[in-house]
Amino acid sequence: MKDQLFELVHGFLCYSHRIVRRVVPGFFCILLSCESFVEVDLPESQLTGEAVYEDYATATAALSDIYARLRDNSFISGSSSGMSVLLGLYADELDYYGVSQQPPEFFYNHTLLPSNTTITTWWNQCYNLIYSVNALIEGVNKSSVLSDAEKRQLQGEALFIRAYIHFYFSELFGDIPYITITDYKENDKVARTPYKEVYPLIVKDLVEAIDLLPQDYISPNRTRPNRAVAQGFLARVYLYHEAWAEAADMASAVVNQTSMYRLEDDLDRVFLKESTSTLWQLSPAEDGQNTQEGATFIFSSTPPPLVALSDEFLNTFEPGDLRKEYCTGEISDEENNWSYPYKYKERNPTATSLEYTILFRLAEQYLIRGEARAQQGDIIGAQEDLNQIRSRAGLNNTKASDKQQLLEAIQRERKTEFFTELGHRWFDLKRTGKADEILPKVKPGWKTTNILFPIPESEILLNPNLLPQNEGY
């Protein structure tokens, strides 16, 4: 059975220049036109045959493949082409030391063009994943064999992933296509959905996911989302769109589950795979491997081969902040010191995997609720949430005592708590309107129009309905 599942997940549905091939016995592939709204090859391991959804094991295998591609081949990758690196460079967390004229340097200097290969790759990979998710949703809905509980689990996870990808893309690109079907005749002429209209679509998917997902995790080490993960994500979505009461309520729904989640007192344990503060994480491809983030950020020779923490960022830490000691590393030569993110401690494989890539953790929920409470005038509640994070970092309670002071204190705390984690810092600068105030001081190439990335020009050439291009490109 294991070999059969391997074949199902990794069997290629070879779509190339409109040639259809049957590669797995019993599965027939219908070629979708390459002239869709995104010019991408259809997912190599996508199982489109109805038989996939006539068995829970094979349906789960198809979903697991989506998670694997999300981890390894998308914007959330911990590699040098993922958001943790590139948005760290785009904001003010990282300095670039790599080879000149390589993709990361364009992010660092704010010289992105519509022809940028990284932007195009992100777009292709992510709409490829969205296609896979929509195919899974359609297949599960049509299944006459899967139980109601199995359908609910698979649909809930798929809706969560669909919302997750669209959320990040709307924050990066603004108006984007929100795709919920696999019909290429519709998708090949799709237009961009206005940013404000994408928001309720994300909320709709997440509300449905919350209803479908179980309270308990169905996989070890929290590698598949449960209800609390969807609630925590919805809290973030509400926060970004200034729905303060809803953000506080959703964050509370997670924080109050004290039997399942608690902040780790030991900062060395926060990024271990067993951490009690983790909501959702992705395991490495093989046991013994650790995170791509550790392999990317940690360096042992000088000068840094790719990136290092900026002086501007390092100066953010208050005296006595344990996160500077526990979450950054330092290396020196005879003249200079450089620091690097050291949240993940393992750069190389170990006997068994010690660290997984964490996508959601409890600290964010406290700071979401604290910010939402401050915005509503709940000063004491906001102080309590902020002090939970400060206390674990070895800091005294906040002295901020009014709304504006608290909001500024929470943003500083978010900066030191979530640095180089999937672009938190960049998205905070963007959503609070601080990018134009802060980035010109450290980034001479910054322009106001850099607040959004360009739509890939190759996609606009294929589908003019994606016009107009974002301002400034």
Side-chain angles (χ1 to χ4, degrees):
M1 182 64 177
K2 182 177 180 181
D3 291 340
Q4 291 174 336
L5 288 179
F6 181 86
E7 279 191 341
L8 291 173
V9 175
H10 295 283
F12 291 157
L13 305 186
C14 298
Y15 294 87
S16 177
H17 305 291
R18 297 177 172 81
I19 297 174
V20 180
R21 295 171 57 192
R22 187 179 74 177
V23 295
V24 180
F27 291 84
F28 293 85
C29 313
I30 301 175
L31 178 62
L32 302 188
S33 170
C34 290
E35 297 174 359
S36 61
F37 69 102
V38 285
E39 181 72 2
V40 296
D41 294 333
L42 288 176
E44 291 181 330
S45 55
Q46 175 64 41
L47 306 178
T48 57
E50 292 182 5
V52 173
Y53 305 103
E54 299 305 307
D55 180 85
Y56 184 61
T58 54
T60 301
L63 178 61
S64 297
D65 182 66
I66 292 172
Y67 285 128
R69 288 188 285 131
L70 187 65
R71 177 197 64 216
D72 296 334
N73 299 304
S74 82
F75 60 101
I76 73 164
S77 161
S79 70
S80 61
S81 61
M83 285 197 305
S84 293
V85 171
L86 297 181
L87 294 188
L89 289 167
Y90 205 73
D92 54 0
E93 297 175 320
L94 298 171
D95 287 333
Y96 182 65
Y97 293 89
V99 177
S100 179
Q101 297 299 302
Q102 291 300 301
E105 186 177 39
F106 302 133
F107 284 80
Y108 181 61
N109 292 332
H110 297 118
T111 53
L112 295 179
L113 297 173
S115 58
N116 182 275
T117 56
T118 301
I119 297 296
T120 302
T121 299
W122 280 6
W123 186 281
N124 289 342
Q125 289 171 337
C126 288
Y127 278 108
N128 185 297
L129 280 165
I130 289 169
Y131 169 85
S132 299
V133 168
N134 289 335
L136 188 144
I137 291 171
E138 293 173 6
V140 168
N141 281 335
K142 294 176 182 178
S143 175
S144 59
V145 175
L146 295 175
S147 69
D148 287 343
E150 290 168 343
K151 284 186 173 184
R152 289 175 65 84
Q153 178 71 49
L154 293 166
Q155 289 172 336
E157 291 184 68
L159 287 166
F160 170 85
I161 297 170
R162 186 167 76 186
Y164 184 79
I165 297 172
H166 281 110
F167 167 79
Y168 274 111
F169 260 41
S170 66
E171 293 301 324
L172 293 170
F173 296 99
D175 302 346
I176 58 163
Y178 201 98
I179 305 301
T180 61
I181 59 176
T182 59
D183 186 344
Y184 76 92
K185 292 181 180 179
E186 295 295 326
N187 289 339
D188 68 358
K189 58 180 183 294
V190 71
R192 295 161 64 190
T193 304
Y195 176 78
K196 290 184 178 180
E197 295 178 21
V198 170
Y199 164 61
L201 296 175
I202 293 171
V203 170
K204 179 177 181 294
D205 275 352
L206 286 176
V207 168
E208 188 174 351
I210 290 168
D211 180 63
L212 293 170
L213 289 169
Q215 188 68 35
D216 296 326
Y217 291 95
I218 67 165
S219 61
N221 294 315
R222 305 178 179 184
T223 55
R224 290 173 66 181
N226 68 345
R227 184 178 304 156
V229 176
Q231 290 171 323
F233 182 31
L234 185 54
R236 184 194 296 178
V237 174
Y238 282 142
L239 184 81
Y240 278 38
H241 289 268
E242 301 183 354
W244 310 124
E246 292 86 350
D249 288 345
M250 276 296 130
S252 291
V254 179
V255 169
N256 292 341
Q257 295 186 48
T258 55
S259 62
M260 187 174 295
Y261 308 111
R262 65 174 178 81
L263 293 174
E264 292 281 2
D265 294 329
D266 183 353
L267 288 175
D268 269 337
R269 292 191 54 81
V270 173
F271 289 87
L272 294 179
K273 68 179 181 182
E274 302 89 359
S275 174
T276 58
S277 65
T278 295
L279 274 65
W280 180 39
Q281 59 189 353
L282 294 176
S283 62
E286 297 180 6
D287 189 36
Q289 293 181 353
N290 290 291
T291 68
Q292 289 182 316
E293 288 83 353
T296 301
F297 283 127
I298 299 171
F299 55 89
S300 56
S301 61
T302 61
L306 181 65
V307 297
L309 291 168
S310 69
D311 289 340
E312 192 284 332
F313 168 74
L314 290 168
N315 291 335
T316 305
F317 288 108
E318 297 177 38
D321 191 329
L322 296 176
R323 287 170 296 197
K324 188 171 184 180
E325 174 186 350
Y326 283 82
C327 297
T328 70
E330 186 176 87
I331 188 168
S332 305
D333 61 17
E334 295 179 355
E335 298 180 357
N336 300 291
N337 298 325
W338 293 275
S339 294
Y340 54 84
Y342 197 42
K343 293 178 172 180
Y344 297 102
K345 313 296 187 190
E346 304 299 331
R347 185 182 183 189
N348 300 307
T350 48
T352 185
S353 299
L354 301 177
E355 298 169 340
Y356 291 178
T357 294
I358 297 173
L359 303 179
F360 284 89
R361 53 191 184 92
L362 185 60
E364 182 188 4
Q365 300 305 308
Y366 276 105
L367 293 180
I368 285 174
R369 189 172 68 176
E371 184 176 342
R373 283 173 163 177
Q375 289 284 4
Q376 298 175 90
D378 181 0
I379 303 303
I380 294 176
Q383 289 172 329
E384 290 174 348
D385 285 331
L386 175 57
N387 288 335
Q388 287 282 343
I389 308 305
R390 290 180 60 83
S391 176
R392 189 187 57 171
L395 298 172
N396 295 328
N397 286 347
T398 182
K399 295 180 180 180
S401 57
D402 62 32
K403 175 181 174 179
Q404 189 57 41
Q405 289 176 351
L406 273 166
L407 291 174
E408 292 173 0
I410 288 168
Q411 287 307 313
R412 286 194 300 271
E413 206 67 31
R414 289 178 64 91
K415 183 177 179 180
T416 50
E417 179 68 24
F418 302 122
F419 70 92
T420 62
E421 290 184 53
L422 296 169
H424 274 288
R425 172 62 175 167
W426 163 246
F427 294 124
D428 284 345
L429 290 173
K430 175 179 177 290
R431 70 183 177 86
T432 60
K434 294 290 187 179
D436 274 339
E437 172 188 333
I438 292 173
L439 292 184
K441 300 174 184 177
V442 293
K443 297 292 190 72
W446 171 259
K447 303 184 296 294
T448 298
T449 52
N450 293 143
I451 203 70
L452 294 175
F453 288 176
I455 304 298
E457 66 179 6
S458 59
E459 302 304 318
I460 291 177
L461 289 172
L462 290 164
N463 178 12
N465 290 331
L466 295 175
L467 289 169
Q469 175 62 272
N470 286 333
E471 186 180 356
Y473 302 101

